[in-house]
Amino acid sequence: MTIDQIEAAAARLSGKARKTPLLSSPFLDEIAGRRVLVKAECLQHTGSFKFRGGWSALSALAPEARARGVIAYSSGNHAQGVALAARMLDAPAVILMPSDAPAPKIANTRALGAEVVTYDRATGDRDAIGAELAEARGLTLVRPFDDPQVIAGQASCGLEIAAQAADEGIAAAEVLVPCGGGGLTSGVALALEARAPGFRVRPVEPEGFDDVARSLTSGRIETNTRRAGSLCDAIQTPAPGALTFPVMARLCGPGIAVTEDEALRAMAAAFERLKIVLEPGGAVALAAALYHPEAVAGEAVIAIGTGGNVSTETFRMALDRHGEAA
Amino acid sequence: MTIDQIEAAAARLSGKARKTPLLSSPFLDEIAGRRVLVKAECLQHTGSFKFRGGWSALSALAPEARARGVIAYSSGNHAQGVALAARMLDAPAVILMPSDAPAPKIANTRALGAEVVTYDRATGDRDAIGAELAEARGLTLVRPFDDPQVIAGQASCGLEIAAQAADEGIAAAEVLVPCGGGGLTSGVALALEARAPGFRVRPVEPEGFDDVARSLTSGRIETNTRRAGSLCDAIQTPAPGALTFPVMARLCGPGIAVTEDEALRAMAAAFERLKIVLEPGGAVALAAALYHPEAVAGEAVIAIGTGGNVSTETFRMALDRHGEAA
């Protein structure tokens, strides 16, 4: 992956993806003891950064492959990103989703015109099911993170961070990234390596699902024992990817783990101080910035708020526990 | 008020105010039956557009007046906007607030370094109290809407809308603006008159507090009977201003009134589809766009989401009533 491939993806995304704002609040700075800037990817189309990778991958396909259609498997955000990109490009899309994915994510994916096929996350092998469907219908598989064009698309978020941080006068900072399989984390790290070498990417995960942090420590791909049940459903991926891990091993770390309750508290803080909606998995980086300041270095920290596709039930839980006390 | 004064205010605001995004969702387009674009001023510093007017007014003061300090009276959002601008400009700020303003708004204003003085909204005359304080301490009064520099600052939001709508290929649209005293409404109308003459501004108010709509119909300043008690506390102003009304009478209307419940429903829709937090008064324009489509003309409508300073209690009410059904 070169910066040229990333710039090419960013060019394809220009005018299609939103350039999301870098938000801040003096109240959050006070909690963290340093400047905190939040890249609000929850404001991206479909409510998460995943639209970037979906559009990048689909817009790079040959016309005949695009006409046959694509298939994606996802806990929800990648699904919606691919579904919208497919609709905008007139490509059929089949989305393979775990049956325990939040109901609004499944409903939204269907409403965006995709055909949704569900499977059991605990017992099913989504790769095998996806490969079989792709073979049967001639669909192109768009992997959620281990795909060069997907990584290049997510990397466009890193290019924006480099430019926006420069506008804020920030030449060096740690960039905290909610991390599932590592597509966004590795993409942002590659973009920043080229465009903002004073920045360092730190993956953030929920406790109990810290496969990337452990992999970075051991130097080889580690997996999670638990495969489901995290409130941070968007990032409970079993292990880092074969393409993403070497990038992260070279450029990122060490990882940070936060509790589910800290993620909920960060959601309440983002509600109160930034006026944005984050889902638990999208709030873990902000949680690390606010509630683990000792784990972070430097005068400023940038946290990506990766997504906001949360049920009202979970959002109410965050406000009930932490509203007006964040 | 000329476009030159507006451009001068925008120049002073450059790099200080956020250029807020124009958001959209295919799900909202479907509800409204036309394209819906939301100018997310809840993402402005202090959670509302009011920072624009506050900064514009304070940055236009002579240094000696700024050093003596300013006074403002406000139900909350103007207070926070002036307080932050004063802190950034090292000016003392006294804020006169109704004692029934939402507690977080009072607390935030104090936390931003201002001295808060409270009064009873039903029985007190805030203009008289403010004038007396200003006289006694040599403070400059920064009115919430009937001040040319405040109007020019709010108008910068209109300049952004003109540019952002052009980027979206929109040459004509109605622009729905939550309206209290008319500072934002008249400012945006003046900016659009000069920069996007195909646009028409429509003030939106809560039922029972539709003084501007009635004033536009009768051609003279009408007042509200009720002075307090609206969930839309940010815009329950008694009457349009002496400066703002003639501008609105020339450029805006007719007004639209929505129910409190429609405002709550629009808050739930903004949560679910745009991932932003709106307060009831900040959601009335989106409510008009979504739930009064027959009152609006054209293929696209732009609604300003003016603020997001809402208590968790009121936000939960919106989600309880309308979550996942908006």
Side-chain angles (χ1 to χ4, degrees):
Chain A
M1 175 81 52
T2 67
I3 188 67
D4 291 344
Q5 288 171 284
I6 292 171
E7 295 281 11
R12 292 198 305 280
L13 281 157
S14 177
K16 303 299 176 183
R18 277 196 195 113
K19 186 177 161 183
T20 56
L22 198 60
L23 303 176
S24 60
S25 159
F27 295 96
L28 299 185
D29 295 352
E30 196 177 316
I31 295 172
R34 54 170 64 87
R35 280 183 79 183
V36 177
L37 296 116
V38 176
K39 178 69 170 166
E41 279 295 301
C42 54
L43 304 177
Q44 190 52 262
H45 295 298
T46 71
S48 89
F49 72 95
K50 292 282 193 177
F51 174 77
R52 296 177 187 268
W55 180 273
S56 173
L58 268 71
S59 62
L61 286 179
E64 53 277 21
R66 205 188 291 166
R68 282 196 304 274
V70 296
I71 180 168
Y73 40 90
S74 162
S75 65
N77 285 334
H78 178 58
Q80 291 186 60
V82 168
L84 179 61
R87 189 170 82 170
M88 289 165 70
L89 288 161
D90 274 326
V94 177
I95 310 288
L96 189 56
M97 297 183 81
S99 47
D100 66 340
K105 292 189 179 180
I106 295 178
N108 288 343
T109 306
R110 289 208 167 105
L112 289 171
E115 177 188 345
V116 173
V117 176
T118 59
Y119 72 98
D120 188 303
R121 197 199 298 252
T123 61
D125 178 346
R126 70 177 184 183
D127 295 280
I129 301 169
E132 191 177 325
L133 273 165
E135 170 74 24
R137 306 200 200 174
L139 306 170
T140 301
L141 178 64
V142 182
R143 295 176 189 279
F145 49 87
D146 238 6
D147 175 311
Q149 292 298 359
V150 170
I151 296 170
Q154 321 303 28
S156 66
C157 178
L159 296 179
E160 290 178 15
I161 289 172
Q164 291 170 317
D167 287 345
E168 297 278 344
I170 298 171
E174 295 199 334
V175 179
L176 311 188
V177 186
C179 190
L184 179 66
T185 306
S186 61
V188 168
L190 288 165
L192 294 177
E193 179 190 27
R195 295 286 177 259
F199 289 55
R200 181 173 185 80
V201 170
R202 306 280 305 272
V204 185
E205 295 165 293
E207 281 187 2
F209 296 86
D210 61 341
D211 50 297
V212 172
R214 288 184 289 106
S215 301
L216 290 174
T217 300
S218 73
R220 60 192 185 121
I221 290 178
E222 307 281 351
T223 57
N224 292 320
T225 312
R226 288 172 63 202
R227 294 295 167 98
S230 173
L231 212 51
C232 304
D233 59 282
I235 53 172
Q236 59 185 355
T237 316
L243 294 181
T244 61
F245 179 63
V247 176
M248 292 194 283
R250 184 168 69 81
L251 296 174
C252 306
I256 304 172
V258 305
T259 66
E260 289 191 349
D261 195 61
E262 287 168 338
L264 291 171
R265 197 172 159 203
M267 289 166 63
F271 161 84
E272 188 173 352
R273 301 306 183 189
L274 303 177
K275 313 304 173 190
I276 58 172
V277 176
L278 293 179
E279 61 187 281
V284 295
L286 178 59
L290 296 180
Y291 312 124
H292 293 261
E294 76 294 343
V296 180
E299 290 176 13
V301 61
I302 297 169
I304 304 184
T306 41
N309 291 313
V310 55
S311 68
T312 57
E313 184 188 347
T314 301
F315 199 77
R316 270 192 297 246
M317 192 194 308
L319 296 187
D320 287 345
R321 286 202 204 169
H322 300 293
E324 269 141 14
Chain B
M1 175 80 52
T2 67
I3 188 68
D4 291 345
Q5 287 171 285
I6 292 171
E7 294 281 11
R12 293 198 304 280
L13 280 157
S14 178
K16 304 297 177 183
R18 276 195 196 112
K19 185 176 162 183
T20 56
L22 198 59
L23 302 176
S24 60
S25 159
F27 295 96
L28 298 185
D29 295 352
E30 196 178 317
I31 295 172
R34 55 169 64 88
R35 281 184 79 183
V36 178
L37 296 115
V38 177
K39 177 70 170 165
E41 280 294 301
C42 54
L43 304 177
Q44 189 52 264
H45 295 297
T46 71
S48 90
F49 73 94
K50 292 282 193 177
F51 175 77
R52 296 177 186 267
W55 180 273
S56 174
L58 268 70
S59 62
L61 286 179
E64 53 276 22
R66 204 188 292 167
R68 282 196 303 274
V70 295
I71 180 168
Y73 40 90
S74 162
S75 64
N77 285 334
H78 178 57
Q80 291 186 61
V82 168
L84 179 62
R87 189 170 83 169
M88 290 166 71
L89 288 162
D90 274 326
V94 177
I95 310 288
L96 189 56
M97 296 181 82
S99 46
D100 66 340
K105 293 189 179 181
I106 294 178
N108 288 343
T109 306
R110 289 208 167 105
L112 289 170
E115 177 188 344
V116 174
V117 177
T118 59
Y119 71 97
D120 187 304
R121 199 200 296 251
T123 62
D125 178 344
R126 70 177 184 182
D127 294 279
I129 300 168
E132 191 176 325
L133 272 165
E135 170 75 25
R137 304 199 202 175
L139 306 170
T140 301
L141 178 65
V142 182
R143 295 176 189 278
F145 51 86
D146 236 6
D147 175 312
Q149 292 298 358
V150 169
I151 295 170
Q154 320 304 28
S156 67
C157 179
L159 296 179
E160 291 178 15
I161 289 172
Q164 291 170 317
D167 287 345
E168 297 279 344
I170 298 171
E174 296 200 334
V175 179
L176 312 188
V177 187
C179 190
L184 179 66
T185 306
S186 61
V188 167
L190 288 165
L192 294 177
E193 180 190 28
R195 295 286 176 260
F199 289 54
R200 181 174 186 81
V201 170
R202 307 279 306 272
V204 185
E205 296 165 292
E207 281 187 2
F209 296 86
D210 61 341
D211 50 298
V212 172
R214 288 184 289 107
S215 301
L216 290 175
T217 301
S218 73
R220 62 195 182 118
I221 291 179
E222 307 282 349
T223 57
N224 293 320
T225 313
R226 288 172 63 202
R227 294 296 167 97
S230 173
L231 212 52
C232 304
D233 59 281
I235 53 171
Q236 60 185 354
T237 317
L243 294 182
T244 61
F245 178 64
V247 175
M248 292 193 284
R250 184 168 68 82
L251 296 173
C252 306
I256 304 172
V258 305
T259 66
E260 289 191 349
D261 194 61
E262 287 168 338
L264 291 170
R265 197 171 159 203
M267 289 167 63
F271 161 84
E272 190 172 351
R273 300 307 182 187
L274 302 176
K275 313 306 174 188
I276 59 173
V277 176
L278 293 179
E279 60 187 281
V284 294
L286 179 59
L290 296 180
Y291 312 123
H292 293 261
E294 76 295 343
V296 180
E299 290 176 13
V301 61
I302 297 169
I304 304 184
T306 40
N309 291 312
V310 55
S311 68
T312 57
E313 185 189 347
T314 301
F315 200 76
R316 268 191 298 246
M317 191 194 307
L319 296 187
D320 287 345
R321 287 201 203 169
H322 300 293
E324 270 141 12

